[in-house]
Every structure is written in C-alpha cells, then in structure tokens.
Amino acid sequence: MSPPIAPAGWSRWIVPPAALSVHLSIGQAYAWSVFKPPLESALGLSGTQSALPFQLAIVMLGLSAAFGGTLVERNGPRWAMTVALVCFSSGFLISALGAAAEQYWLIVLGYGFVGGIGLGIGYISPVSTLIKWFPDRPGMATGIAIMGFGGGALIASPWSARMLESFGTDHSGIALAFLVHGLAYAVFMTLGVLLVRVPRPAGDGGAPTVAAGEGISAAAAVRTPQFWCLWVVLCMNVTAGIGILEKAAPMITDFFADTSTPVSVTAAAGFVALLSAANMAGRIGWSTTSDLIGRKNIYRVYLGVGAAMYAVIALLGDSSKPVFVLCALVILSFYGGGFATIPAYLKDLFGTYQVGAIHGRLLTAWSTAGVLGPLIVNWIADRQEEAGKHGADLYSLSLFIMIGLLAVGFVANELVRPVAPRHRLTAPKEAADVPARQQPESA
C-alpha cells in the first residue's frame, strides 16, 4: 500500500483530524477499568487477572511500536493506520468470542496481544507525517493527535458503561459490548485511513514544503547518548504521572479518610475524570507551548515543577483538598504533555528521517514506566498498611521516591546536547530547503 500523496490544494489541516480518529479510538485502552468488575463477576476472576489484558496491551504497545517503527516509516501512514485498524478491531472481536464462550484466555489474546499490536502501530502511525506537514509547529501537530489517546477514555468510559447497562453484565452482555466496540472503532478508524495524505515534494506545483530531509536513521539514533537521555526523561516523567493515575481514586480517599471531610466514592470518581481531562489538555496545551519556548525548556517545567508538585502533596496534601487536587491536575497535565512533546523533541535532535521509527523505539520507556509506577505506589502502600499506617502515610515514601525519579529525569534532560554531525545522512525524496529548529539548545 503506497503512501497517498496529497493533491494540489490539499489542506494540511485535514491530516490532524485523520490522526485524531485513530488516537481517539485506541485511547479506549484507558477505559479498560469499566470492564473489570463485570468480567470478575461473570467469569470468576480476581482483580489481578482482570487487569491482565490491559497490562499485556501496554507491553505490546511498546514492543510493537519499537519493532514496527521502521515498517511504519517505510510503508507510510495509510498502511500503518490500516494495520492498527485491523489489529485493534480484531482484538475486540476475538475478545467478544472469548466472552461468549467464557474462555478468558481469548480475551487476553484478543484485547491484550492482538489489540495491543494495534495500539502500538496506531500510536506512532501519524507522527512523522504530522511533523512533515507542520515543520513550523511540530509540537502542536503531534499534540492534537496524541491528545486523542489521552481523551479517548472520556468517550469510551461512559459509552462502555451505558452499553453494559443495556446489554447486561453477564458473559453474553460483555461479548455483545466487545462486538459493538470492534465494529464501531473499525468504522471510525476508517475515516483516518481514507483522509490521511503525505506532503508532495517541495516546489512540486506549490505543494507544502516539508521539514528538512537531513536526519539520522533509527539504527544510528539508538547508539547516541541523546536517545538514551530522552529514554530516561520519558520513563521518569511517565512513571511519576502514572503513579497517581493508576491509584487516583483510592489515593484521594485515603488522604482524607481521617479528616472531617472524607471523600465519597462519587467524588473520587469525579477526581479520576478531572485527571483524564488534565491529561488530555496537557497533551495539546504543553506541546503547543514547546513550539514557543523549546523542547528542553518545556521538559524542565515538566520535571522541575512536577517534582515541586509532588513535594507539596507529600507535605501539605492532606491538609487541603483544593491543594491536593490542583497539584495532581498539574502533574497529570505534565504526564500528557510529555507524551505529546517527545516526537517534536526527537525531530529537533534527529531530523525527520525515520523519526517515527525512533519514536517507536523510545516508547519502550512507556512500557517500563507502566510497570514501574504502579509497582512503586502499590507495593509501598501495601507494606505501609501492613506496618499499621493509614491515610496519607501510606503514600509519603512513594511520593518522595517520585520526586527523586523526576530529579533523575531533570538531570538527563540537562545532559541532552546536539547530535554529532557524523551521524547524519540525507533522506531520499525529502526537501531540505526549510530551516527547521534542529537542536533543543537553540531554545
């Protein structure tokens, strides 16, 4: 499937909605928790077992992005979006079969393994194309698309809950809900497949000019210290954010359990929804800001101010609900912003050549953080509870660990320097006549 080249007069503003249709769909992953209680009840699962499809999906996201990034670059965005559509939708259809037959391993295979491949390929599918369309505002462009992944749960969560109310929460109702998800997302993601286009070569009939074609291959990039510095930066930022996101409802409940104004279950659910909104808003807001102040500077904000927010929660969080909520919202906005800004940071350092493949390899940091963040918060909270502690004391140590991790990320960001010219090569069929901000130090 050859990449579709934009005809003369094609608006570049059609491409972000095409990417958004894919990211809003695969963003359903953040709404998996809606299916956990029904699955546990219908199939007799434990909480750990019901989380397995989601955990495997995140692992496969990182692995498929890392190993499939080069194929995405070679075959283009339409091929990648088609693969994502087939895998993600098929994952739901296989899960529907598993639920109907009461075979949980099929749900793990479908949603976790097959669907997880769709997550990874779909996540990186529009990155390099958007950067080529928007060499002047790469942070904004990738932020629009990646915003969808953070906001997909805002649509999927109530939609899934309403579906389960209508179909029932037994195994047949769950199967029907999975089936509708698979078919509906296939239709919605098809819009992105049909609309996406790559830019025409610069100067070809007035076509838009793409970013500089000089760049660094993915194989060469992973051998540079800059890549591994950014790997640490992303891993630390995601670990800090996902530590709150995964434990949000019980954390706010525990923090204020011993006060005169405890948090209700409904209020805790509202807090989770607020965090999702902050995650989504941060992806477009902070990534757009990075176009103005530079990538290195925005990560100084994510990591430095994020550490300060954790310190405020650790020291003052249980004394004021507004303070706790505000700090958590800021941290989650940085969590989302970090995801959306990293493709533009990679473009600044390594150029546009194979930036999607480099991004895919870097997403292994997400897979690591997805295990590390929840493990730190949950394991320490369990140990503290066994020691007889309660309330905010369950989380004090893990909060200070997060501050330390953000400090490590801050140092790694400071160590990022321009890539040595010897690593660079010229990508074929890409223009090099637009001066792009190649290095973060210029910020």
Side-chain angles (χ1 to χ4, degrees):
M1 185 181 295
S2 59
I5 298 175
W10 185 267
S11 173
R12 65 178 182 171
W13 292 102
I14 297 176
V15 181
L20 194 59
S21 71
V22 173
H23 273 247
L24 278 172
S25 299
I26 64 177
Q28 185 279 336
Y30 279 143
W32 174 254
S33 60
V34 174
F35 289 102
K36 280 171 62 67
L39 283 170
E40 291 167 15
S41 175
L43 302 181
L45 305 174
S46 67
T48 301
Q49 289 173 319
S50 67
L52 185 57
F54 172 78
Q55 291 173 319
L56 180 57
I58 296 300
V59 170
M60 292 307 301
L61 186 158
L63 293 177
S64 62
F67 290 104
T70 303
L71 290 174
V72 172
E73 286 291 323
R74 181 182 303 141
N75 296 318
R78 175 169 287 180
W79 175 88
M81 289 181 178
T82 301
V83 171
L85 184 160
V86 172
C87 290
F88 189 66
S89 296
S90 296
F92 271 112
L93 299 182
I94 295 170
S95 297
L97 177 62
E102 299 184 71
Q103 297 293 319
Y104 187 59
W105 68 272
L106 278 174
I107 298 177
V108 175
L109 173 67
Y111 190 92
F113 185 80
V114 179
I117 294 173
L119 287 180
I121 299 299
Y123 191 88
I124 64 173
S125 62
V127 169
S128 63
T129 301
L130 285 167
I131 288 175
K132 291 169 186 174
W133 274 109
F134 293 87
D136 51 336
R137 286 179 280 184
M140 179 213 68
T142 55
I144 291 174
I146 293 176
M147 174 185 68
F149 193 86
L154 292 179
I155 299 171
S157 184
W159 181 47
S160 301
R162 183 63 62 86
M163 212 177 298
L164 289 169
E165 289 177 7
S166 300
F167 299 152
T169 56
D170 60 355
H171 69 93
S172 60
I174 296 171
L176 188 54
F178 282 152
L179 176 63
V180 173
H181 275 72
L183 297 177
Y185 282 131
V187 172
F188 194 56
M189 294 172 75
T190 299
L191 296 176
V193 172
L194 295 177
L195 289 175
V196 73
R197 298 288 189 278
V198 296
R200 299 168 71 189
D204 182 8
T209 304
V210 302
E214 183 179 294
I216 298 172
S217 69
V222 298
R223 295 194 294 268
T224 65
Q226 288 85 352
F227 175 88
W228 292 106
C229 283
L230 288 190
W231 193 98
V232 172
V233 166
L234 183 63
C235 186
M236 297 301 100
N237 191 61
V238 174
T239 299
I242 208 168
I244 281 188
L245 185 62
E246 191 271 341
K247 193 78 171 177
M251 182 180 287
I252 193 172
T253 301
D254 290 336
F255 253 80
F256 298 97
D258 298 330
T259 68
S260 58
T261 55
V263 176
S264 67
V265 174
T266 302
F271 174 62
V272 174
L274 281 176
L275 291 183
S276 296
N279 179 10
M280 180 175 64
R283 292 174 186 244
I284 181 62
W286 292 120
S287 60
T288 301
T289 303
S290 78
D291 288 332
L292 302 176
I293 69 174
R295 254 56 83 172
K296 175 170 276 193
N297 285 334
I298 200 68
Y299 273 95
R300 285 168 174 153
V301 173
Y302 297 157
L303 300 161
V305 178
M309 294 296 100
Y310 264 114
V312 172
I313 292 176
L315 299 174
L316 304 172
D318 60 345
S319 63
S320 171
K321 285 181 187 176
V323 169
F324 180 94
V325 171
L326 178 61
C327 290
L329 291 176
V330 172
I331 291 170
L332 261 294
S333 75
F334 292 162
Y335 168 82
F339 277 123
T341 309
I342 204 70
Y345 207 163
L346 292 170
K347 173 260 182 186
D348 291 346
L349 284 168
F350 301 111
T352 58
Y353 179 58
Q354 293 198 338
V355 67
I358 299 170
H359 183 221
R361 286 160 171 77
L362 195 76
L363 288 181
T364 54
W366 185 1
S367 296
T368 303
V371 174
L372 188 61
L375 180 64
I376 291 172
V377 176
N378 287 291
W379 186 85
I380 291 177
D382 290 343
R383 300 292 81 76
Q384 298 290 61
E385 188 173 12
E386 290 174 1
K389 295 185 179 181
H390 53 85
D393 291 338
L394 296 175
Y395 305 99
S396 296
L397 178 57
S398 59
L399 292 175
F400 284 111
I401 290 175
M402 295 301 178
I403 293 171
L405 293 177
L406 288 171
V408 171
F410 191 93
V411 172
N413 185 52
E414 293 303 306
L415 293 176
V416 174
R417 295 291 184 269
V419 180
R422 69 177 181 275
H423 294 293
R424 294 190 173 275
L425 52 84
T426 301
K429 298 182 182 179
E430 288 191 332
D433 58 338
V434 172
R437 287 191 314 175
Q438 292 292 325
Q439 305 300 343
E441 286 298 307
S442 64

PDB file of all heavy atoms in Angstrom, residues 28-56:
ATOM      1  N   GLN A  28      -9.249   4.129  23.926  1.00  0.00           N
ATOM      2  CA  GLN A  28     -10.165   3.329  24.727  1.00  0.00           C
ATOM      3  C   GLN A  28      -9.427   2.509  25.781  1.00  0.00           C
ATOM      4  O   GLN A  28      -9.995   2.131  26.811  1.00  0.00           O
ATOM      5  CB  GLN A  28     -10.962   2.380  23.806  1.00  0.00           C
ATOM      6  CG  GLN A  28     -12.041   1.559  24.499  1.00  0.00           C
ATOM      7  CD  GLN A  28     -11.499   0.316  25.206  1.00  0.00           C
ATOM      8  OE1 GLN A  28     -10.435  -0.189  24.842  1.00  0.00           O
ATOM      9  NE2 GLN A  28     -12.225  -0.142  26.211  1.00  0.00           N
ATOM     10  N   ALA A  29      -8.141   2.262  25.550  1.00  0.00           N
ATOM     11  CA  ALA A  29      -7.364   1.448  26.489  1.00  0.00           C
ATOM     12  C   ALA A  29      -7.445   1.985  27.915  1.00  0.00           C
ATOM     13  O   ALA A  29      -7.471   1.213  28.879  1.00  0.00           O
ATOM     14  CB  ALA A  29      -5.906   1.383  26.034  1.00  0.00           C
ATOM     15  N   TYR A  30      -7.508   3.303  28.068  1.00  0.00           N
ATOM     16  CA  TYR A  30      -7.570   3.904  29.398  1.00  0.00           C
ATOM     17  C   TYR A  30      -8.932   3.682  30.067  1.00  0.00           C
ATOM     18  O   TYR A  30      -9.099   4.013  31.238  1.00  0.00           O
ATOM     19  CB  TYR A  30      -7.273   5.405  29.324  1.00  0.00           C
ATOM     20  CG  TYR A  30      -5.795   5.737  29.262  1.00  0.00           C
ATOM     21  CD1 TYR A  30      -5.349   6.797  28.469  1.00  0.00           C
ATOM     22  CD2 TYR A  30      -4.860   5.022  29.995  1.00  0.00           C
ATOM     23  CE1 TYR A  30      -3.997   7.125  28.418  1.00  0.00           C
ATOM     24  CE2 TYR A  30      -3.518   5.341  29.942  1.00  0.00           C
ATOM     25  CZ  TYR A  30      -3.083   6.396  29.151  1.00  0.00           C
ATOM     26  OH  TYR A  30      -1.749   6.714  29.107  1.00  0.00           O
ATOM     27  N   ALA A  31      -9.895   3.153  29.330  1.00  0.00           N
ATOM     28  CA  ALA A  31     -11.220   2.885  29.895  1.00  0.00           C
ATOM     29  C   ALA A  31     -11.417   1.411  30.197  1.00  0.00           C
ATOM     30  O   ALA A  31     -12.548   0.978  30.464  1.00  0.00           O
ATOM     31  CB  ALA A  31     -12.305   3.377  28.931  1.00  0.00           C
ATOM     32  N   TRP A  32     -10.353   0.613  30.156  1.00  0.00           N
ATOM     33  CA  TRP A  32     -10.485  -0.819  30.407  1.00  0.00           C
ATOM     34  C   TRP A  32     -11.113  -1.115  31.765  1.00  0.00           C
ATOM     35  O   TRP A  32     -11.800  -2.121  31.954  1.00  0.00           O
ATOM     36  CB  TRP A  32      -9.127  -1.509  30.299  1.00  0.00           C
ATOM     37  CG  TRP A  32      -9.169  -2.956  30.696  1.00  0.00           C
ATOM     38  CD1 TRP A  32      -8.683  -3.524  31.836  1.00  0.00           C
ATOM     39  CD2 TRP A  32      -9.785  -4.026  29.955  1.00  0.00           C
ATOM     40  NE1 TRP A  32      -8.935  -4.871  31.858  1.00  0.00           N
ATOM     41  CE2 TRP A  32      -9.613  -5.214  30.708  1.00  0.00           C
ATOM     42  CE3 TRP A  32     -10.447  -4.100  28.738  1.00  0.00           C
ATOM     43  CZ2 TRP A  32     -10.083  -6.451  30.275  1.00  0.00           C
ATOM     44  CZ3 TRP A  32     -10.922  -5.333  28.314  1.00  0.00           C
ATOM     45  CH2 TRP A  32     -10.742  -6.482  29.065  1.00  0.00           C
ATOM     46  N   SER A  33     -10.875  -0.238  32.745  1.00  0.00           N
ATOM     47  CA  SER A  33     -11.371  -0.492  34.101  1.00  0.00           C
ATOM     48  C   SER A  33     -12.890  -0.659  34.140  1.00  0.00           C
ATOM     49  O   SER A  33     -13.423  -1.278  35.070  1.00  0.00           O
ATOM     50  CB  SER A  33     -10.951   0.634  35.047  1.00  0.00           C
ATOM     51  OG  SER A  33     -11.465   1.877  34.606  1.00  0.00           O
ATOM     52  N   VAL A  34     -13.606  -0.126  33.150  1.00  0.00           N
ATOM     53  CA  VAL A  34     -15.060  -0.285  33.098  1.00  0.00           C
ATOM     54  C   VAL A  34     -15.441  -1.764  32.972  1.00  0.00           C
ATOM     55  O   VAL A  34     -16.458  -2.211  33.515  1.00  0.00           O
ATOM     56  CB  VAL A  34     -15.650   0.521  31.919  1.00  0.00           C
ATOM     57  CG1 VAL A  34     -17.136   0.244  31.758  1.00  0.00           C
ATOM     58  CG2 VAL A  34     -15.409   2.012  32.121  1.00  0.00           C
ATOM     59  N   PHE A  35     -14.601  -2.532  32.279  1.00  0.00           N
ATOM     60  CA  PHE A  35     -14.906  -3.945  32.054  1.00  0.00           C
ATOM     61  C   PHE A  35     -14.429  -4.848  33.188  1.00  0.00           C
ATOM     62  O   PHE A  35     -14.806  -6.027  33.242  1.00  0.00           O
ATOM     63  CB  PHE A  35     -14.281  -4.417  30.742  1.00  0.00           C
ATOM     64  CG  PHE A  35     -14.955  -3.864  29.510  1.00  0.00           C
ATOM     65  CD1 PHE A  35     -14.400  -2.816  28.805  1.00  0.00           C
ATOM     66  CD2 PHE A  35     -16.160  -4.393  29.077  1.00  0.00           C
ATOM     67  CE1 PHE A  35     -15.017  -2.305  27.684  1.00  0.00           C
ATOM     68  CE2 PHE A  35     -16.793  -3.896  27.957  1.00  0.00           C
ATOM     69  CZ  PHE A  35     -16.227  -2.838  27.255  1.00  0.00           C
ATOM     70  N   LYS A  36     -13.584  -4.334  34.068  1.00  0.00           N
ATOM     71  CA  LYS A  36     -13.013  -5.187  35.110  1.00  0.00           C
ATOM     72  C   LYS A  36     -14.065  -5.799  36.051  1.00  0.00           C
ATOM     73  O   LYS A  36     -14.103  -7.025  36.217  1.00  0.00           O
ATOM     74  CB  LYS A  36     -11.965  -4.399  35.916  1.00  0.00           C
ATOM     75  CG  LYS A  36     -10.612  -4.298  35.220  1.00  0.00           C
ATOM     76  CD  LYS A  36      -9.682  -3.336  35.936  1.00  0.00           C
ATOM     77  CE  LYS A  36      -9.372  -3.770  37.360  1.00  0.00           C
ATOM     78  NZ  LYS A  36      -8.564  -5.010  37.427  1.00  0.00           N
ATOM     79  N   PRO A  37     -14.933  -4.993  36.690  1.00  0.00           N
ATOM     80  CA  PRO A  37     -15.913  -5.603  37.603  1.00  0.00           C
ATOM     81  C   PRO A  37     -16.850  -6.606  36.931  1.00  0.00           C
ATOM     82  O   PRO A  37     -17.076  -7.696  37.481  1.00  0.00           O
ATOM     83  CB  PRO A  37     -16.670  -4.393  38.164  1.00  0.00           C
ATOM     84  CG  PRO A  37     -15.714  -3.245  38.027  1.00  0.00           C
ATOM     85  CD  PRO A  37     -14.989  -3.511  36.752  1.00  0.00           C
ATOM     86  N   PRO A  38     -17.403  -6.290  35.727  1.00  0.00           N
ATOM     87  CA  PRO A  38     -18.261  -7.290  35.086  1.00  0.00           C
ATOM     88  C   PRO A  38     -17.520  -8.586  34.762  1.00  0.00           C
ATOM     89  O   PRO A  38     -18.077  -9.684  34.928  1.00  0.00           O
ATOM     90  CB  PRO A  38     -18.734  -6.591  33.806  1.00  0.00           C
ATOM     91  CG  PRO A  38     -18.619  -5.145  34.095  1.00  0.00           C
ATOM     92  CD  PRO A  38     -17.431  -5.011  34.978  1.00  0.00           C
ATOM     93  N   LEU A  39     -16.276  -8.484  34.299  1.00  0.00           N
ATOM     94  CA  LEU A  39     -15.517  -9.682  33.977  1.00  0.00           C
ATOM     95  C   LEU A  39     -15.229 -10.502  35.229  1.00  0.00           C
ATOM     96  O   LEU A  39     -15.319 -11.738  35.218  1.00  0.00           O
ATOM     97  CB  LEU A  39     -14.199  -9.306  33.293  1.00  0.00           C
ATOM     98  CG  LEU A  39     -14.294  -8.895  31.817  1.00  0.00           C
ATOM     99  CD1 LEU A  39     -12.974  -8.310  31.346  1.00  0.00           C
ATOM    100  CD2 LEU A  39     -14.674 -10.095  30.946  1.00  0.00           C
ATOM    101  N   GLU A  40     -14.889  -9.822  36.326  1.00  0.00           N
ATOM    102  CA  GLU A  40     -14.616 -10.525  37.572  1.00  0.00           C
ATOM    103  C   GLU A  40     -15.850 -11.272  38.057  1.00  0.00           C
ATOM    104  O   GLU A  40     -15.761 -12.412  38.543  1.00  0.00           O
ATOM    105  CB  GLU A  40     -14.128  -9.528  38.629  1.00  0.00           C
ATOM    106  CG  GLU A  40     -12.749  -8.951  38.342  1.00  0.00           C
ATOM    107  CD  GLU A  40     -12.429  -7.747  39.208  1.00  0.00           C
ATOM    108  OE1 GLU A  40     -13.142  -7.530  40.225  1.00  0.00           O
ATOM    109  OE2 GLU A  40     -11.478  -7.005  38.882  1.00  0.00           O
ATOM    110  N   SER A  41     -17.014 -10.636  37.915  1.00  0.00           N
ATOM    111  CA  SER A  41     -18.256 -11.257  38.359  1.00  0.00           C
ATOM    112  C   SER A  41     -18.702 -12.381  37.425  1.00  0.00           C
ATOM    113  O   SER A  41     -19.088 -13.467  37.871  1.00  0.00           O
ATOM    114  CB  SER A  41     -19.356 -10.198  38.454  1.00  0.00           C
ATOM    115  OG  SER A  41     -20.597 -10.766  38.774  1.00  0.00           O
ATOM    116  N   ALA A  42     -18.631 -12.133  36.123  1.00  0.00           N
ATOM    117  CA  ALA A  42     -19.152 -13.100  35.156  1.00  0.00           C
ATOM    118  C   ALA A  42     -18.257 -14.321  34.999  1.00  0.00           C
ATOM    119  O   ALA A  42     -18.748 -15.435  34.786  1.00  0.00           O
ATOM    120  CB  ALA A  42     -19.346 -12.423  33.797  1.00  0.00           C
ATOM    121  N   LEU A  43     -16.942 -14.128  35.091  1.00  0.00           N
ATOM    122  CA  LEU A  43     -16.011 -15.221  34.827  1.00  0.00           C
ATOM    123  C   LEU A  43     -15.257 -15.668  36.072  1.00  0.00           C
ATOM    124  O   LEU A  43     -14.370 -16.535  35.978  1.00  0.00           O
ATOM    125  CB  LEU A  43     -15.008 -14.809  33.741  1.00  0.00           C
ATOM    126  CG  LEU A  43     -15.613 -14.384  32.388  1.00  0.00           C
ATOM    127  CD1 LEU A  43     -14.511 -14.033  31.401  1.00  0.00           C
ATOM    128  CD2 LEU A  43     -16.485 -15.501  31.825  1.00  0.00           C
ATOM    129  N   GLY A  44     -15.589 -15.095  37.233  1.00  0.00           N
ATOM    130  CA  GLY A  44     -14.952 -15.509  38.468  1.00  0.00           C
ATOM    131  C   GLY A  44     -13.471 -15.180  38.531  1.00  0.00           C
ATOM    132  O   GLY A  44     -12.659 -15.996  38.964  1.00  0.00           O
ATOM    133  N   LEU A  45     -13.097 -13.982  38.114  1.00  0.00           N
ATOM    134  CA  LEU A  45     -11.696 -13.575  38.058  1.00  0.00           C
ATOM    135  C   LEU A  45     -11.313 -12.764  39.285  1.00  0.00           C
ATOM    136  O   LEU A  45     -12.163 -12.122  39.911  1.00  0.00           O
ATOM    137  CB  LEU A  45     -11.436 -12.743  36.800  1.00  0.00           C
ATOM    138  CG  LEU A  45     -11.827 -13.367  35.457  1.00  0.00           C
ATOM    139  CD1 LEU A  45     -11.645 -12.348  34.341  1.00  0.00           C
ATOM    140  CD2 LEU A  45     -11.010 -14.613  35.185  1.00  0.00           C
ATOM    141  N   SER A  46     -10.027 -12.755  39.572  1.00  0.00           N
ATOM    142  CA  SER A  46      -9.503 -11.852  40.599  1.00  0.00           C
ATOM    143  C   SER A  46      -9.189 -10.507  39.964  1.00  0.00           C
ATOM    144  O   SER A  46      -9.192 -10.362  38.726  1.00  0.00           O
ATOM    145  CB  SER A  46      -8.226 -12.437  41.208  1.00  0.00           C
ATOM    146  OG  SER A  46      -7.178 -12.468  40.240  1.00  0.00           O
ATOM    147  N   GLY A  47      -8.917  -9.511  40.793  1.00  0.00           N
ATOM    148  CA  GLY A  47      -8.556  -8.201  40.264  1.00  0.00           C
ATOM    149  C   GLY A  47      -7.289  -8.246  39.437  1.00  0.00           C
ATOM    150  O   GLY A  47      -7.170  -7.568  38.414  1.00  0.00           O
ATOM    151  N   THR A  48      -6.328  -9.058  39.873  1.00  0.00           N
ATOM    152  CA  THR A  48      -5.078  -9.196  39.121  1.00  0.00           C
ATOM    153  C   THR A  48      -5.330  -9.818  37.755  1.00  0.00           C
ATOM    154  O   THR A  48      -4.784  -9.375  36.738  1.00  0.00           O
ATOM    155  CB  THR A  48      -4.078 -10.059  39.910  1.00  0.00           C
ATOM    156  OG1 THR A  48      -3.826  -9.451  41.180  1.00  0.00           O
ATOM    157  CG2 THR A  48      -2.771 -10.205  39.150  1.00  0.00           C
ATOM    158  N   GLN A  49      -6.182 -10.828  37.724  1.00  0.00           N
ATOM    159  CA  GLN A  49      -6.482 -11.491  36.451  1.00  0.00           C
ATOM    160  C   GLN A  49      -7.219 -10.554  35.490  1.00  0.00           C
ATOM    161  O   GLN A  49      -6.924 -10.526  34.291  1.00  0.00           O
ATOM    162  CB  GLN A  49      -7.320 -12.740  36.704  1.00  0.00           C
ATOM    163  CG  GLN A  49      -6.567 -13.878  37.354  1.00  0.00           C
ATOM    164  CD  GLN A  49      -7.480 -15.042  37.730  1.00  0.00           C
ATOM    165  OE1 GLN A  49      -8.595 -14.823  38.224  1.00  0.00           O
ATOM    166  NE2 GLN A  49      -7.022 -16.259  37.496  1.00  0.00           N
ATOM    167  N   SER A  50      -8.168  -9.796  36.015  1.00  0.00           N
ATOM    168  CA  SER A  50      -8.945  -8.910  35.145  1.00  0.00           C
ATOM    169  C   SER A  50      -8.111  -7.765  34.591  1.00  0.00           C
ATOM    170  O   SER A  50      -8.488  -7.142  33.597  1.00  0.00           O
ATOM    171  CB  SER A  50     -10.160  -8.362  35.891  1.00  0.00           C
ATOM    172  OG  SER A  50      -9.769  -7.490  36.931  1.00  0.00           O
ATOM    173  N   ALA A  51      -6.975  -7.465  35.228  1.00  0.00           N
ATOM    174  CA  ALA A  51      -6.091  -6.404  34.746  1.00  0.00           C
ATOM    175  C   ALA A  51      -5.137  -6.898  33.663  1.00  0.00           C
ATOM    176  O   ALA A  51      -4.511  -6.089  32.968  1.00  0.00           O
ATOM    177  CB  ALA A  51      -5.288  -5.822  35.906  1.00  0.00           C
ATOM    178  N   LEU A  52      -5.035  -8.214  33.496  1.00  0.00           N
ATOM    179  CA  LEU A  52      -4.041  -8.787  32.589  1.00  0.00           C
ATOM    180  C   LEU A  52      -4.188  -8.326  31.138  1.00  0.00           C
ATOM    181  O   LEU A  52      -3.177  -8.017  30.489  1.00  0.00           O
ATOM    182  CB  LEU A  52      -4.083 -10.310  32.673  1.00  0.00           C
ATOM    183  CG  LEU A  52      -3.024 -11.071  31.865  1.00  0.00           C
ATOM    184  CD1 LEU A  52      -1.623 -10.636  32.274  1.00  0.00           C
ATOM    185  CD2 LEU A  52      -3.195 -12.578  32.050  1.00  0.00           C
ATOM    186  N   PRO A  53      -5.398  -8.257  30.554  1.00  0.00           N
ATOM    187  CA  PRO A  53      -5.491  -7.783  29.170  1.00  0.00           C
ATOM    188  C   PRO A  53      -4.927  -6.370  28.989  1.00  0.00           C
ATOM    189  O   PRO A  53      -4.229  -6.100  28.007  1.00  0.00           O
ATOM    190  CB  PRO A  53      -7.006  -7.823  28.889  1.00  0.00           C
ATOM    191  CG  PRO A  53      -7.525  -8.870  29.807  1.00  0.00           C
ATOM    192  CD  PRO A  53      -6.709  -8.727  31.059  1.00  0.00           C
ATOM    193  N   PHE A  54      -5.226  -5.479  29.943  1.00  0.00           N
ATOM    194  CA  PHE A  54      -4.712  -4.112  29.845  1.00  0.00           C
ATOM    195  C   PHE A  54      -3.192  -4.090  29.974  1.00  0.00           C
ATOM    196  O   PHE A  54      -2.502  -3.414  29.204  1.00  0.00           O
ATOM    197  CB  PHE A  54      -5.339  -3.238  30.934  1.00  0.00           C
ATOM    198  CG  PHE A  54      -4.733  -1.864  31.030  1.00  0.00           C
ATOM    199  CD1 PHE A  54      -5.067  -0.877  30.122  1.00  0.00           C
ATOM    200  CD2 PHE A  54      -3.818  -1.567  32.030  1.00  0.00           C
ATOM    201  CE1 PHE A  54      -4.506   0.389  30.199  1.00  0.00           C
ATOM    202  CE2 PHE A  54      -3.250  -0.303  32.117  1.00  0.00           C
ATOM    203  CZ  PHE A  54      -3.596   0.678  31.200  1.00  0.00           C
ATOM    204  N   GLN A  55      -2.655  -4.821  30.939  1.00  0.00           N
ATOM    205  CA  GLN A  55      -1.210  -4.830  31.137  1.00  0.00           C
ATOM    206  C   GLN A  55      -0.489  -5.374  29.910  1.00  0.00           C
ATOM    207  O   GLN A  55       0.521  -4.802  29.467  1.00  0.00           O
ATOM    208  CB  GLN A  55      -0.864  -5.673  32.362  1.00  0.00           C
ATOM    209  CG  GLN A  55      -1.306  -5.050  33.673  1.00  0.00           C
ATOM    210  CD  GLN A  55      -1.098  -5.972  34.862  1.00  0.00           C
ATOM    211  OE1 GLN A  55      -1.356  -7.170  34.781  1.00  0.00           O
ATOM    212  NE2 GLN A  55      -0.644  -5.420  35.970  1.00  0.00           N
ATOM    213  N   LEU A  56      -1.008  -6.471  29.342  1.00  0.00           N
ATOM    214  CA  LEU A  56      -0.392  -7.031  28.144  1.00  0.00           C
ATOM    215  C   LEU A  56      -0.508  -6.068  26.969  1.00  0.00           C
ATOM    216  O   LEU A  56       0.423  -5.959  26.155  1.00  0.00           O
ATOM    217  CB  LEU A  56      -1.050  -8.373  27.805  1.00  0.00           C
ATOM    218  CG  LEU A  56      -0.508  -9.104  26.569  1.00  0.00           C
ATOM    219  CD1 LEU A  56       0.980  -9.367  26.692  1.00  0.00           C
ATOM    220  CD2 LEU A  56      -1.265 -10.412  26.337  1.00  0.00           C
TER     221      LEU A  56
END
